[in-house]
Amino acid sequence: MKIVYWSGTGNTEMMANLIASGIEENGKTAEVISVESANPDIFDNEEIVILGCPSMGDEVLEEGEFEPFLESIADKVKNKKVALFGSYGWGDGQWMRDWQDRITGYGAVLIDDGLIVNNDPDDTTSEECKEFGRKISK
């Protein structure tokens, strides 16, 4: 499985690595890839798409690298299972709800509600990230 993420402060990157750890606990392989190293074909042979991006500004996705990548895969996620995650420092998670609506609008099937963590993962939320990975890889 491939996990593509964007991280500004490292919190979403930590989440990506913890999710990968949970996937690997189920005996599957997980590759964590920063969005700047990902191309639009990265999920072509995957049945599950895992994307991570923090809340930015007024609860939106990062616009410089992540938004263009998301647009580039919009027609490639139809009928695929998608898991979303990210960190936030303010607000109530509206960016995640908007992102879920957008992904399902592309025709994707959400595996779960998006996983959001306030700031960096602590002991409790680190375990939630691993459990999210275990759930995805079942």
Side-chain angles (χ1 to χ4, degrees), residues 3-6 33-43 49-52 62-77 99 102 106:
I3 301 169
V4 175
Y5 73 93
W6 185 90
I33 303 156
S34 180
V35 72
E36 68 259 7
S37 300
N39 68 58
D41 302 327
I42 195 162
F43 294 115
V49 174
I50 307 168
L51 299 169
E62 192 277 329
E63 297 174 326
E65 292 176 292
F66 196 81
E67 270 290 344
F69 176 76
L70 191 57
E71 285 299 315
S72 75
I73 65 167
D75 62 344
K76 296 174 178 273
V77 296
W99 192 11
R102 185 170 169 190
Y106 293 161

Side-chain angles (χ1 to χ4, degrees), residues 124-137:
T124 301
T125 54
S126 289
E127 184 53 37
E128 288 174 16
C129 291
K130 289 179 184 178
E131 180 56 33
F132 191 69
R134 289 189 288 269
K135 186 183 294 185
I136 291 167
S137 61

Side-chain angles (χ1 to χ4, degrees), residues 2-137:
K2 294 181 174 78
I3 301 169
V4 175
Y5 73 93
W6 185 90
S7 188
T9 63
N11 295 340
T12 301
E13 180 179 15
M14 280 196 323
M15 291 179 71
N17 288 316
L18 288 163
I19 291 166
S21 176
I23 290 169
E24 291 167 354
E25 285 177 19
N26 275 351
K28 307 259 171 81
T29 59
E31 185 179 1
V32 177
I33 303 156
S34 180
V35 72
E36 68 259 7
S37 300
N39 68 58
D41 302 327
I42 195 162
F43 294 115
D44 284 358
N45 297 317
E46 303 283 334
E47 68 179 68
I48 298 175
V49 174
I50 307 168
L51 299 169
C53 186
S55 171
M56 302 293 290
D58 189 24
E59 289 208 69
V60 296
L61 297 171
E62 192 277 329
E63 297 174 326
E65 292 176 292
F66 196 81
E67 270 290 344
F69 176 76
L70 191 57
E71 285 299 315
S72 75
I73 65 167
D75 62 344
K76 296 174 178 273
V77 296
K78 186 174 183 158
N79 299 322
K80 293 200 180 215
K81 296 175 185 171
V82 177
L84 305 175
F85 69 94
S87 63
Y88 68 105
W90 59 88
D92 69 353
Q94 184 62 47
W95 106 98
M96 182 59 74
R97 293 188 294 276
D98 292 343
W99 192 11
Q100 290 168 328
D101 291 345
R102 185 170 169 190
I103 288 292
T104 56
Y106 293 161
V109 178
L110 288 176
I111 292 175
D112 199 311
D113 287 338
L115 175 65
I116 61 175
V117 170
N118 192 326
N119 296 313
D120 61 320
D122 60 19
D123 289 345
T124 301
T125 54
S126 289
E127 184 53 37
E128 288 174 16
C129 291
K130 289 179 184 178
E131 180 56 33
F132 191 69
R134 289 189 288 269
K135 186 183 294 185
I136 291 167
S137 61

